[in-house]
Amino acid sequence: MIDTRTTGGPQLKIDDRADTSGDELQRICGHIGDLSVEGTRADFDLATLLTQVPSPLTAINLDAARTVYHYQSALVLIELEATVLAVRAAALAYRQAEKGISDTFGGLLDYFGYVTGRVIAISLPALIPIGIAVGAPIYLGLKLLDVTGLDDVVAKHFGIDLAQTKAAAKEAFVALVFENSDVSGAIIEHVLPGIVVGFMGLPPTVLATDGDHALWPHDSSSMTAWVLGGANMFGLLLPSDVEVWKAKGITAPDDEPPRDIEDLYRREADRHRGVDSGQVRIEEITDADGTSRYIVYIPATSDWSPEPGENTTDLTTNVQAMAGNDTVMAEMVRQAIADANIGADSEVMLVGYSQGGIVAGSLAADPAFLNDVNVTALFTVGAPISDFPVDEGIDVLSIEHEQDLVPDLDGNENPAADHWSTITVDYDPEQLRQAPNLKGKTDAELDELFSSAGAAHSSAAYSASIGLMLAGGHAGLNRFTAKNSGFFSGDLKETRDYQGKRRRT
């Protein structure tokens, strides 16, 4: 069974269990209190009092027993009320401790980054000459070896292939970053903004600033905005308008609605695979009474160049979205939905992998978009969307590999909310080789799929993980498909595909 961890969704957490127990105890206390009141009222019933007149001694003994009963009942009620208070206090303390630990750890990383930034700023006059003195000869020496062909001599006589060594070092670094993605995410969220603030000489208190502004770096989003601003100065990662039109699909339309999460993800992955610029696909699904529901598939990155071009699924869309800005892909989705004449009351599911998930998450947190589009479900894979305040009326399922850096680029974990389930999968290439959808692949083909340092983010790896979870009857997948069954049943009435290109003025 593939190793997974699920957070959020309709499941009881420790503090929720405590609150539920407190509510139940409070109900019992109220019931006991009502019984005590009824008993006291019955003590003064006229018929009861008249029966005591012929037997005064019995009446005295009965009154004594009543007194003891009411006294003991009061003690029990007080103890139960005290227990209710203790349980509720424990739940509150748990929440505060959990929040406090997170805030304290984040604050320590902020301060570490700040101190590092100050050290760099103070040491810069000495670091620059040292860097030039050490780095320049190394760089010139390597260039000389390459130009003169002496690198081949080095490889032949000393067994050191410089190009191969460089590639291996790069691969090892990427593997280190991906395998420790949680640490990498914390560095992006806390340490890097701290370094910049410290280097600039700003007071460390600015790192504790809340809000979405980017006046100075204080989290991953504002840090991305600064990177974006710097790139824009050199003509890179520039925003643009977009032209959208209905097009022939990258793949042929399916005949039926997706049968499960694996099928849903396969259709999503096909929206960008093997093309320069991905497409948005909208499937209209109707049930027996004619009600239409729509699945909107948003493509992932297909172009990693920061330079201006026509592609909509490029690095610019990634960085713009992570900085909290509107993107050409989000506009493509809006125009596609408008062209498909999706009614304001029709249920819509947004689906996205990687960049597609970022765009889907941003739209699911956009009040203006949600005023026009009735998004009821969101499915993301390998996407950093924790910074987006997704509307609580939307049922969210996110799937992430533990060793995938990309979902950690926003520096936080997804909220463990009732409407938001996140399944974190331990990326194990040996186990993924057994996935049902990879049967028939040769060992060489499997090696190629899972050998790279960043393979944990590949669509093939996620497809294999989802296949294994589905085969194992994973409760999180079953819950999502059951709750959103209208998207997985009925008839596939129509499929529309949309292409776009950047338009620069």
Side-chain angles (χ1 to χ4, degrees):
M1 181 74 178
I2 191 168
D3 186 19
T4 66
R5 168 173 52 87
T6 303
T7 57
Q11 56 182 343
L12 283 178
K13 299 180 284 292
I14 293 175
D15 50 335
D16 292 331
R17 289 192 181 98
D19 278 337
T20 302
S21 299
D23 292 340
E24 182 62 20
L25 281 174
Q26 190 71 64
R27 187 189 66 78
I28 294 172
C29 287
H31 187 55
I32 293 175
D34 292 341
L35 289 175
S36 296
V37 170
E38 288 297 324
T40 302
R41 187 181 296 122
D43 288 345
F44 295 97
D45 180 69
L46 180 61
T48 302
L49 293 174
L50 289 176
T51 60
Q52 298 178 9
V53 174
S55 306
L57 186 60
T58 303
I60 292 172
N61 290 332
L62 182 59
D63 288 339
R66 285 172 177 162
T67 301
V68 171
Y69 164 75
H70 288 302
Y71 172 73
Q72 294 292 345
S73 296
L75 287 180
V76 169
L77 196 57
I78 291 171
E79 289 179 1
L80 284 175
E81 290 285 1
T83 303
V84 170
L85 291 175
V87 169
R88 295 197 188 284
L92 178 61
Y94 178 86
R95 291 192 184 100
Q96 293 300 318
E98 191 174 44
K99 182 176 182 297
I101 290 172
S102 176
D103 291 345
T104 300
F105 184 67
L108 289 173
L109 290 178
D110 287 342
Y111 192 69
F112 173 76
Y114 181 83
V115 171
T116 303
R118 293 305 304 143
V119 169
I120 293 173
I122 294 169
S123 307
L124 203 57
L127 290 176
I128 291 177
I130 293 173
I132 293 174
V134 175
I138 294 175
Y139 176 78
L140 292 174
L142 291 174
K143 280 294 183 183
L144 182 62
L145 288 172
D146 185 38
V147 171
T148 60
L150 290 175
D151 53 342
D152 295 331
V153 177
V154 172
K156 181 177 180 180
H157 291 280
F158 299 98
I160 301 174
D161 188 323
L162 296 178
Q164 198 173 57
T165 301
K166 181 181 176 182
K170 180 181 178 181
E171 187 79 0
F173 175 75
V174 173
L176 178 68
V177 171
F178 268 77
E179 289 171 5
N180 299 277
S181 60
D182 288 343
V183 175
S184 302
I187 290 173
I188 293 170
E189 179 73 12
H190 298 286
V191 179
L192 288 183
I195 289 175
V196 174
V197 169
F199 185 83
M200 294 171 61
L202 296 173
T205 51
V206 303
L207 291 168
T209 304
D210 292 326
D212 296 331
H213 72 82
L215 299 177
W216 54 79
H218 57 278
D219 57 15
S220 60
S221 180
S222 57
M223 189 73 211
T224 305
W226 270 59
V227 171
L228 184 61
N232 288 169
M233 294 174 63
F234 295 94
L236 302 175
L237 304 177
L238 293 170
S240 70
D241 296 327
V242 63
E243 180 183 346
V244 183
W245 65 93
K246 200 170 181 180
K248 180 182 178 181
I250 298 170
T251 58
D254 287 276
D255 297 325
E256 297 177 340
R259 61 182 179 275
D260 49 39
I261 293 292
E262 183 179 18
D263 196 17
L264 184 72
Y265 180 64
R266 174 190 61 78
R267 301 180 189 202
E268 161 60 22
D270 283 343
R271 306 283 56 78
H272 75 282
R273 186 176 289 141
V275 296
D276 292 331
S277 190
Q279 293 181 339
V280 172
R281 170 168 285 187
I282 298 179
E283 291 180 338
E284 181 179 356
I285 298 163
T286 57
D287 60 18
D289 64 4
T291 300
S292 288
R293 294 177 176 85
Y294 299 85
I295 302 178
V296 180
Y297 301 91
I298 307 173
T301 311
S302 60
D303 180 358
W304 291 98
S305 173
E307 297 179 356
E310 292 186 345
N311 293 349
T312 54
T313 48
D314 58 1
L315 184 60
T316 299
T317 295
N318 277 329
V319 180
Q320 291 282 356
M322 291 295 293
N325 300 334
D326 198 12
T327 64
V328 292
M329 183 50 60
E331 180 59 22
M332 271 189 68
V333 172
R334 295 189 195 99
Q335 292 191 32
I337 287 176
D339 183 80
N341 291 316
I342 297 178
D345 296 329
S346 297
E347 295 182 10
V348 173
M349 176 191 291
L350 301 178
V351 180
Y353 156 64
S354 194
Q355 179 188 117
I358 301 172
V359 174
S362 69
L363 290 171
D366 180 2
F369 179 77
L370 297 179
N371 281 339
D372 298 327
V373 183
N374 180 30
V375 179
T376 59
L378 169 64
F379 175 52
T380 68
V381 177
I385 62 170
S386 67
D387 286 341
F388 297 122
V390 176
D391 188 272
E392 293 183 359
I394 299 173
D395 185 38
V396 186
L397 174 62
S398 296
I399 297 178
E400 304 173 356
H401 279 142
E402 180 69 42
Q403 294 80 7
D404 183 2
L405 171 64
V406 176
D408 291 324
L409 287 176
D410 52 7
N412 291 303
E413 293 185 353
N414 294 337
D418 289 343
H419 72 293
W420 193 331
S421 297
T422 300
I423 302 174
T424 304
V425 185
D426 183 39
Y427 172 72
D428 183 353
E430 291 304 316
Q431 196 168 24
L432 294 185
R433 287 168 174 263
Q434 312 304 319
N437 64 311
L438 295 180
K439 287 182 178 178
K441 295 279 187 183
T442 66
D443 287 341
E445 290 173 327
L446 292 173
D447 288 341
E448 186 178 355
L449 284 177
F450 301 120
S451 61
S452 70
H457 184 64
S458 69
S459 59
Y462 273 112
S463 181
S465 289
I466 292 171
L468 286 174
M469 285 192 289
L470 191 68
H474 195 284
L477 302 187
N478 293 337
R479 183 208 64 79
F480 186 80
T481 51
K483 183 170 183 179
N484 301 286
S485 58
F487 294 101
F488 297 93
S489 59
D491 296 315
L492 180 51
K493 180 180 179 181
E494 186 175 354
T495 299
R496 303 173 177 89
D497 292 290
Y498 296 88
Q499 189 72 57
K501 71 175 181 178
R502 291 183 178 275
R503 187 176 63 237
R504 302 185 186 276
T505 55

